[in-house]
Amino acid sequence: MTTPTTQRLSLIDVVNRCDSFPYPSDDPSRLERLSFLTFIVDEIPCGRIHSSVVPHIVAFNEQDRPVFHITETNVSFMPWLSDYESRSDAIAQMLAIWRNDPIAFPSLTGWRNELYGVYTHTQTTNPSSTRQGAALAIERSACGLFGVHAYGVHMNGFVRTGPRPSDVQMWVARRSATKQTYPGMLDNIVAGGMGFGHSPGYTVLKESMEEASIPLEIAKGAVPVGTISYTKLSKDEKETQPETQVVYDLELPADFTPTPCDTEVENFRLWTMTQVLDSIRSGEFKPNCACVCLHFMIRHAVLTPENEEDYLEIVQKLNRRLEFPGPKRWPTFKEEH
């Protein structure tokens, strides 16, 4: 959990709190000290696995037909696991065992029963071994253990207060104190992980109703405005999480008030940009939500090259180039049309 800080953060510090995995150009020796192996599927790097996890993979491998090929630098599937179903089943069986060891695998205590796709190919390449472009699917809470690319949507809900782009106020959510991750911290009006088979557009509409009671006819006004991307390094430095968040803006009527619909959100507040910035600098926002707010402020000229000394670096770092593949287009086979 990231907690508020008593020291005022610079905005580039805020971004670095989210994008915390080192770049090779920063300190190549640190990357080596972190001790990650590359997770490879179909000869394509798809994630990172910490060396401390390898003995558990070796133990699972002690069966009549080993599942993984392990070297000093890589972990990959044995050749007989050559399609989506066999790989997904093998990972699921292993995670079912690991789930019973919360000391070794604390992240699995937040089990979601939700699958995320791991992509190696586009839908038109080698379709027999993939499912709509995914080489396998993995339980959401285990993505950090394998360091695979995860996806979500975040939406800025805002109200216009004047003619200038910067004349806006933003709806801010307070996360429930019972949330598994970042309890009690500030959040965007709507945000959620993108389960395998759910497109960004479908996810943002679903989350709008579930988290903020936004009617469908209003939520359909959400506009995709880009992405942010980053790689998080866990505090114990044993998990990484490359993530891409598809960002939406929704201009809301001045007389509309979002209302919590489930147990994930405590309340909503309509804040000025000054209030939002102040809470970002004090560390009250969930790290990636703070970055989504900064993305909004840049696009709406709240932050400019003239009023923010780290403007250029912030803009660049909000879109880290992630080295692992993603879908060419989003699979939608689970969607309700």
Side-chain angles (χ1 to χ4, degrees):
M1 172 181 172
T2 300
T3 54
T5 177
T6 55
Q7 183 179 2
R8 300 286 288 177
L9 297 166
S10 70
L11 295 186
I12 193 61
D13 287 338
V14 171
V15 177
N16 288 336
R17 275 183 145 197
C18 181
D19 186 33
S20 54
F21 190 78
Y23 287 75
S25 58
D26 293 340
D27 184 357
S29 63
R30 188 185 175 207
L31 284 175
E32 186 175 345
R33 293 195 304 271
L34 285 173
S35 188
F36 284 97
L37 287 74
T38 304
F39 179 42
I40 293 179
V41 184
D42 282 346
E43 301 183 355
I44 298 173
C46 290
R48 299 182 187 89
I49 300 173
H50 194 262
S51 57
S52 64
V53 177
V54 173
H56 299 275
I57 299 176
V58 171
F60 179 74
N61 237 15
E62 292 176 353
Q63 48 186 295
D64 293 339
R65 203 176 188 191
V67 171
F68 295 99
H69 177 62
I70 305 167
T71 71
E72 290 185 359
T73 57
N74 300 327
V75 176
S76 57
F77 289 104
M78 297 295 283
W80 67 272
L81 291 126
S82 59
D83 58 24
Y84 171 93
E85 285 75 17
S86 62
R87 295 164 181 154
S88 301
D89 288 346
I91 292 285
Q93 291 174 29
M94 187 167 66
L95 291 177
I97 297 171
W98 291 1
R99 189 181 179 186
N100 295 320
D101 189 353
I103 295 177
F105 300 103
S107 58
L108 298 185
T109 61
W111 196 273
R112 302 292 190 94
N113 282 320
E114 183 179 358
L115 294 177
Y116 276 11
V118 179
Y119 299 91
T120 55
H121 303 286
T122 67
Q123 283 79 353
T124 57
T125 305
N126 197 14
S128 63
S129 69
T130 64
R131 187 173 182 185
Q132 296 211 15
L136 68 146
I138 187 171
E139 155 64 28
R140 176 176 177 175
S141 64
C143 286
L145 286 169
F146 291 86
V148 295
H149 195 160
Y151 304 87
V153 298
H154 281 242
M155 187 173 80
N156 301 292
F158 71 98
V159 176
R160 292 195 183 275
T161 59
R164 297 176 302 175
S166 59
D167 292 335
V168 289
Q169 293 181 331
M170 179 181 286
W171 281 103
V172 174
R174 172 77 67 181
R175 294 166 69 86
S176 167
T178 60
K179 283 280 288 184
Q180 292 175 335
T181 56
Y182 304 97
M185 299 195 76
L186 298 178
D187 205 328
N188 306 118
I189 187 175
V190 167
M194 207 182 308
F196 184 48
H198 288 168
S199 71
Y202 174 87
T203 303
V204 80
L205 294 178
K206 177 175 73 73
E207 297 290 342
S208 292
M209 175 55 71
E210 291 178 356
E211 293 188 355
S213 304
I214 301 175
L216 184 61
E217 59 271 19
I218 294 179
K220 283 184 175 180
V223 179
V225 291
T227 65
I228 66 166
S229 54
Y230 47 87
T231 300
K232 295 184 292 186
L233 178 66
S234 63
K235 284 188 176 180
D236 64 6
E237 298 189 340
K238 293 183 178 180
E239 295 188 20
T240 67
Q241 189 59 81
E243 290 187 348
T244 295
Q245 305 295 341
V246 183
V247 180
Y248 287 76
D249 281 357
L250 176 62
E251 182 176 351
L252 289 164
D255 59 354
F256 177 79
T257 300
T259 305
C261 186
D262 55 22
T263 60
E264 296 191 4
V265 177
E266 184 177 307
N267 57 53
F268 293 96
R269 309 169 188 185
L270 184 61
W271 277 359
T272 65
M273 291 293 97
T274 300
Q275 288 173 298
V276 175
L277 264 176
D278 185 65
S279 293
I280 288 173
R281 291 184 186 277
S282 63
E284 295 180 68
F285 270 86
K286 181 173 176 274
N288 62 349
C289 300
C291 290
V292 172
C293 291
L294 295 180
H295 186 269
F296 177 90
M297 292 177 182
I298 289 166
R299 290 182 290 103
H300 287 261
V302 176
L303 295 177
T304 69
E306 288 71 36
N307 66 20
E308 173 50 55
E309 63 179 3
D310 294 316
Y311 182 89
L312 183 59
E313 188 176 3
I314 291 168
V315 171
Q316 292 172 337
K317 288 208 72 177
L318 285 175
N319 287 281
R320 179 174 186 146
R321 185 179 184 276
L322 302 180
E323 62 269 50
F324 304 137
K328 187 172 183 179
R329 63 182 177 85
W330 299 102
T332 58
F333 57 87
K334 285 185 181 179
E335 289 195 11
E336 298 177 11
H337 295 283

